[in-house]
Amino acid sequence: MENKTEEDKVSIIKVSALTCIDLDNSNLHQSAVLLKQACLDSGFFYVINHGISEELKDEAFEQSKKFFALPLEEKMKVLRNEKYRGYAPFHDSLLDPKNQFRGDYKEGFTIGFEGGKDGPHGDKPFHSPNIWPNSDVLPGWRETMEKYYQEALRVCKSIARIMALALDLDVDYFNTPEMLGNPIADMVLFHYEGKSDPSKGIYACGAHSDFGMMSLLATDGVMGLQICKDKDVMPQKWEYIPSLKGYNNEMFGEILDFEKVM
């Protein structure tokens, strides 16, 4: 039997074909059918024509790079607090302890929804004021991230309307003060170090399923994101998820997915 190197194994992992959800499609029922099929297939789908401008996305990514390029001493000044807001250093999370030797080779920064203290979630752990880098060090950083956060939340609410129809519910089922009117919604910036060696238990981000209603992923187009459509079948079959050609500003949507980053 031929012995394959880790590089050989990666090369034979196929690229996955995903359903595409077009938020510019006025036929929401058609989109609901596609979304339902995507969830049955893998829990993963493309999102296009979402309305977030290319300029805003580029600015958010550029500002993100500026933060992660800061000296560690500066980043540690906004270390993640007990409300899960702020900076998380490398190896902070260990998502797949069965297969990982140590924590993920990534660092992150979490921004959350700042709902009113008297709202239905005002006393919950995931609702509190955000913490921000020094504006003298990163001018305009907070303003860019707040704007991008609101735009991403708008996209989530649009997808929630389609999700409601896919579940045979009223289109505005989730659009209530108790749900998306005051959501537990986090935006996490990630910087991956580019170190991954599965044979040694080293991953940029270990295998995991996201929690919550849905997740949106915006990437810089660099390959690395993988999904497994059936985590219970052994050996697991992992597939790369590429960016769409012709849609530089597409996003990935996730509902009940199983993923990792190499």
Side-chain angles (χ1 to χ4, degrees), residues 119-228:
H121 303 299
D123 60 344
K124 299 294 177 62
F126 294 98
H127 282 75
S128 72
N130 289 303
I131 57 177
W132 302 100
N134 189 324
S135 59
D136 292 334
V137 176
L138 293 174
W141 200 89
R142 173 176 178 173
E143 291 77 11
T144 296
M145 295 307 169
E146 287 181 324
K147 185 175 181 180
Y148 191 80
Y149 176 92
Q150 291 299 327
E151 283 290 279
L153 185 57
R154 174 188 58 77
V155 175
C156 287
K157 291 180 178 180
S158 295
I159 296 173
R161 287 167 56 84
I162 300 172
M163 186 189 302
L165 292 177
L167 294 170
D168 295 322
L169 301 170
D170 180 80
V171 67
D172 290 317
Y173 178 83
F174 296 111
N175 188 26
T176 66
E178 296 78 16
M179 290 192 245
L180 292 182
N182 196 6
I184 297 176
D186 287 341
M187 180 174 81
V188 188
L189 312 174
F190 283 128
H191 168 231
Y192 298 97
E193 187 73 358
K195 296 180 180 178
S196 186
D197 188 344
S199 66
K200 297 180 180 179
I202 298 173
Y203 292 86
C205 183
H208 67 283
S209 293
D210 284 355
F211 53 86
M213 183 179 184
M214 75 175 83
S215 298
L216 290 180
L217 291 178
T219 75
D220 57 6
V222 176
M223 286 282 277
L225 178 64
Q226 294 181 351
I227 64 170
C228 178

